[in-house]
Amino acid sequence: ERQRELAIRQALGATRRQLLRRLVAEGMILGVAGGALGLLLAAWAAALVNTVPLPVPVRLSVTFDWRLAGISVVLSLAASVVFTALSAFKGLHSNMQRVLVGSSGTLAPRAGVHRVLVIVQVALGCLMLTVGGLLARSAWQVEQVDVGFSADTGVLGRVALADERYTGMAGDSFYQQLQANLAARSDVESVALGWHAPVSPVRTTARFTTLGSSDVLQARYNVVSPDYFRTLGVGVLAGREFDSRDRREAEAAAIVNDVLAARFEGGAIGQTLQLVNEPKPRRIVGVVRELKYNGITEPSQPYVYLPLAQAFRRDMHVHLRTRAAGAETLLRTELRRLDPDEA
């Protein structure tokens, strides 16, 4: 399209080297300007994505990578210089007289490659815009997903009792004291402990049997403390959640979600559920809403909860519901007060 301009400049005395230098410089300026604008948009978009509200205690963690930014700048400059140089080389070697005589509004006879490049560029641009739009739409729609619990003012921490003396009653007593100390603080609304955290990979399954049936049910399960469902904002649909009645020496108890409860005729409350590796059955004392544990797109599945006092685990997640800043420091302080070796 600039062949006529180049031909006029050559007729006025400009050398091909001068014109080539000019065109390459224009291409580099366009490349730098386009690359800089793209980097600014990328940095702004990365910051914007991180502000998308999610109904789960996780972040998208989109960061601006300067290494990729450098690669993008180099590719942008290289593409500008290469394609500008190729176009300039072709234009400068055209028949000057024929170009000047011909119409300036028509393309060169052999512009098929240019058309193909433009078509490919537009197609790739549309593809990237479509994918980016779908990703942005999905990110915004995540807020509408019902994960079964509330993450507002929630803080999650992990405690692992490495000391060998924390087994059975000693470990259970340690966690009870930790929960009581945290709950006694005025800046803590509620606190609970859970073996597995919601929206995290949970692959632990167990086999259960029900009274009067020989079918073996395989379901995921969790070990939780009293006030677990209240702290997470999970609705108790029937019965109760675990409390001080579910001691080690008391009757074994269990809570099931509504998916599993639907399999019991006449209601799940009062029915028994037995792990295949336990000698005695567990009495179902409550039914709760379904939670998402393996991701927000997890399909509905049966789930069983066991009380911490009757199924001790060394590693537990502490769920704090507080609006106070420095929840991590608060948790470490309480751990150090109970046992400096575990803080």
Side-chain angles (χ1 to χ4, degrees):
E1 292 180 352
R2 302 186 64 182
Q3 283 181 348
R4 185 176 181 82
E5 174 196 344
L6 297 177
I8 293 175
R9 290 181 181 274
Q10 284 183 284
L12 294 175
T15 64
R16 290 181 176 180
R17 178 177 296 182
Q18 290 175 333
L19 294 177
L20 182 61
R21 261 202 325 262
R22 177 187 179 90
L23 293 175
V24 172
E26 290 179 359
M28 292 184 66
I29 293 174
L30 290 175
V32 171
L37 180 60
L39 293 178
L40 289 176
L41 289 175
W44 173 78
L48 178 64
V49 169
N50 288 326
T51 63
V52 175
L54 298 177
V56 294
V58 295
R59 296 185 63 187
L60 295 177
S61 299
V62 178
T63 58
F64 186 80
D65 193 328
W66 286 104
R67 294 171 299 178
L68 293 179
I71 295 174
S72 300
V73 170
V74 172
L75 290 177
S76 180
L77 287 175
S80 299
V81 171
V82 169
F83 283 99
T84 303
L86 290 176
S87 299
F89 183 80
K90 180 179 179 180
L92 293 174
H93 284 78
S94 301
N95 188 305
M96 185 168 55
Q97 182 178 1
R98 187 172 59 184
V99 171
L100 291 174
V101 173
S103 174
S104 61
T106 59
L107 290 173
R110 297 182 179 179
V113 176
H114 294 76
R115 287 196 180 97
V116 172
L117 288 176
V118 171
I119 292 172
V120 171
Q121 182 179 8
V122 173
L124 290 176
C126 292
L127 177 62
M128 294 180 66
L129 286 174
T130 302
V131 173
L134 291 175
L135 176 62
R137 179 184 177 187
S138 299
W140 285 107
Q141 286 184 339
V142 165
E143 188 179 4
Q144 309 300 324
V145 176
D146 184 11
V147 294
F149 66 95
S150 173
D152 295 338
T153 69
V155 178
L156 181 66
R158 184 173 178 271
V159 179
L161 299 179
D163 199 320
E164 293 295 333
R165 56 192 172 91
Y166 287 117
T167 58
M169 295 184 62
D172 181 48
S173 177
F174 178 90
Y175 280 132
Q176 286 184 11
Q177 191 63 46
L178 174 64
Q179 184 176 2
N181 291 350
L182 291 172
R185 297 184 60 93
S186 59
D187 51 356
V188 174
E189 299 177 14
S190 60
V191 58
L193 296 96
W195 186 28
H196 297 301
V199 197
S200 61
V202 178
R203 298 181 176 87
T204 305
T205 60
R207 293 184 298 167
F208 299 87
T209 58
T210 58
L211 183 64
S213 175
S214 59
D215 296 337
V216 177
L217 170 67
Q218 187 166 348
R220 290 185 170 91
Y221 71 101
N222 198 0
V223 179
V224 301
S225 71
D227 288 337
Y228 178 81
F229 302 104
R230 183 174 70 89
T231 301
L232 267 67
V234 180
V236 179
L237 304 179
R240 61 174 177 87
E241 66 172 302
F242 298 131
D243 54 28
S244 58
R245 288 172 286 182
D246 303 304
R247 301 181 301 275
R248 177 180 295 271
E249 64 276 7
E251 181 184 18
I255 292 177
V256 299
N257 68 350
D258 50 358
V259 178
L260 181 54
R263 302 190 179 190
F264 291 91
E265 296 183 2
I269 301 299
Q271 302 280 1
T272 58
L273 193 71
Q274 184 171 1
L275 275 77
V276 294
N277 60 345
E278 288 187 345
K280 296 182 179 180
R282 292 179 173 271
R283 185 76 60 184
I284 299 177
V285 299
V287 177
V288 296
R289 286 189 59 199
E290 176 191 3
L291 273 72
K292 299 292 186 181
Y293 274 93
N294 286 283
I296 59 177
T297 59
E298 177 184 52
S300 298
Q301 58 182 297
Y303 212 91
V304 180
Y305 299 89
L306 310 179
L308 178 59
Q310 298 177 356
F312 174 73
R313 297 293 189 274
R314 287 177 177 271
D315 299 348
M316 297 295 289
H317 289 87
V318 180
H319 300 268
L320 275 173
R321 187 168 294 278
T322 175
R323 297 185 183 275
E328 180 182 354
T329 303
L330 171 63
L331 178 58
R332 289 185 180 276
T333 301
E334 292 299 335
L335 287 173
R336 192 177 296 111
R337 185 179 303 173
L338 291 174
D339 189 343
D341 296 333
E342 297 294 338

